[in-house]
Structures are given as structure tokens and as C-alpha cells.
Amino acid sequence: MSTETRSTAGESIEDVASLEARIEELEAELAEMRADENDQQMVIIATKGTLDMAYPPLILASTAAAFGWDVTVFHTFWGLEILHEEHSGELQLSSVGNPNMPIPNVIGALPGMDRAISKMMERRIADNDVATVEELVETALDSGVELQACQMTIDLLDYDEADFYDGIETGVGAASAFQRMTDADIQLLV
């Protein structure tokens, strides 16, 4: 009888050790799955530099970063104006061709209307405590968003790297942006 008890006790110790090993294996798999969830990537291509089009890429990028996503925003052509330290505070809004503007195109096309519409929107932004473009750029950078400036567009518009906010990655080409997009879970063109 004592041999039988020892055998059962030995099997129990082996079962417990096997169970503990399996638990450790499952905990490692779970930790790996959780790490993979936090490795989600988003790439946004910003192509427009108007006041109303500066907000979507910056807000989406900062929000995704707040959720732990790895976010890159590649700014090309007029989207580069969002990163230009001097120009980003002077972005304009146009009523011409915007069907949601409460101004007919014929009136919106009058000289000075873009500036008037832009001033109206800037007042609304301030009155509603909405962050400025400059504040959103800083928030994105502080959140770890990688803001990239297209090198071809920098050359085309004859800008200098010093024209951009500190922390902006310059010298990025389309091939680099494309590679980031292929690796990303979400790709957006704004």
C-alpha cells in the first residue's frame, strides 16, 4: 500500500510540475499576444494644407498614439504647410468648391473671401477652445507621433529643414513612406 501511495504522490508531483509548465507557457503566449496588440501601426498621408484639412491627420494621429499605436504622418505637397512653423499659423480655408459652405461660389470667389472665411473659422476655433494647428503639431510630437516631411516637396517648394517645427523628420522619400504603409495596420490618405 505504501508503494501505491508513493506512486500516486509521484504522479501528482509530476502532474503539478506539468501543469505549472503549461501555465507558464500560456502566460508567455498571452504576454506575446498583448505585446502584438500594442504594436499596431497607422500611417496617414497628408496632402492638403488648408485650415480644415490640417485637423484630421493631426487629431487622428494623436488619438491613435494615445491608444498606444505607432503612428506616422507623411506630409507631402501642400500637406507640408502643416509642418512649416511659419506657415502653419496662417493656413487658409476656401469656400469655393466646398459644397458645405453657406456661401455661394460666386461670392466665395471674390477677392479677400478666403481670408475672411479663414478668420471666421479661426474665431470659431478659439471660441470653442479647439486646439490650434500649432498646438496639435506639438501634441502629436509629444505623443510620439512621427511627423515626416517629404523631401521631394521640400526641394520643390524651396524650403529649408530649419523651416519646420523641431522634431519633424525631414529627408523622407516616397519609398520610405510606402514601406511604412506596407507594414501598417491602417493606412489613410487625407
Side-chain angles (χ1 to χ4, degrees):
M1 197 170 219
S2 100
T3 309
E4 202 173 297
T5 305
R6 284 185 190 148
S7 174
T8 303
E11 286 175 11
S12 294
I13 291 172
E14 288 174 10
D15 289 342
V16 169
S18 175
L19 185 58
E20 287 175 347
R22 181 66 180 141
I23 289 171
E24 287 178 18
E25 183 181 310
L26 290 172
E27 285 175 341
E29 283 182 40
L30 180 60
E32 187 176 317
M33 288 172 60
R34 285 183 178 158
D36 286 346
E37 286 177 7
N38 291 336
D39 287 343
Q40 294 174 309
Q41 295 181 19
M42 175 188 281
V43 174
I44 302 171
I45 309 299
T47 63
K48 296 179 177 51
T50 57
L51 182 59
D52 57 330
M53 293 307 293
Y55 281 81
L58 295 172
I59 291 171
L60 290 169
S62 296
T63 302
F67 282 106
W69 285 58
D70 177 16
V71 184
T72 301
V73 184
F74 180 74
H75 294 78
T76 188
F77 282 87
W78 299 119
L80 199 60
E81 297 297 286
I82 298 168
L83 303 180
H84 193 285
E85 199 163 8
E86 183 180 322
H87 297 176
S88 66
E90 300 171 356
L91 298 179
Q92 301 231 0
L93 180 65
S94 179
S95 64
V96 175
N98 187 342
N100 292 320
M101 277 288 182
I103 297 171
N105 280 339
V106 71
I107 294 172
L110 293 173
M113 284 304 291
D114 284 350
R115 193 67 210 138
I117 294 294
S118 300
K119 285 295 182 190
M120 179 191 74
M121 184 56 78
E122 288 169 1
R123 268 194 307 277
R124 284 188 143 185
I125 289 168
D127 291 348
N128 288 286
D129 293 322
V130 174
T132 64
V133 172
E134 299 93 331
E135 291 168 335
L136 288 174
V137 168
E138 293 301 327
T139 298
L141 290 169
D142 291 345
S143 299
V145 173
E146 190 172 331
L147 298 177
Q148 298 178 335
C150 174
Q151 187 61 49
M152 183 200 72
T153 307
I154 291 172
D155 296 341
L156 180 69
L157 299 177
D158 200 28
Y159 288 158
D160 188 81
E161 291 182 12
D163 294 334
F164 302 102
Y165 289 96
D166 290 338
I168 301 301
E169 184 180 351
T170 57
V172 181
S176 297
F178 182 75
Q179 184 57 51
R180 287 293 295 230
M181 286 188 284
T182 62
D183 297 337
D185 300 289
I186 295 177
Q187 308 89 9
L188 301 172
L189 174 65
V190 179

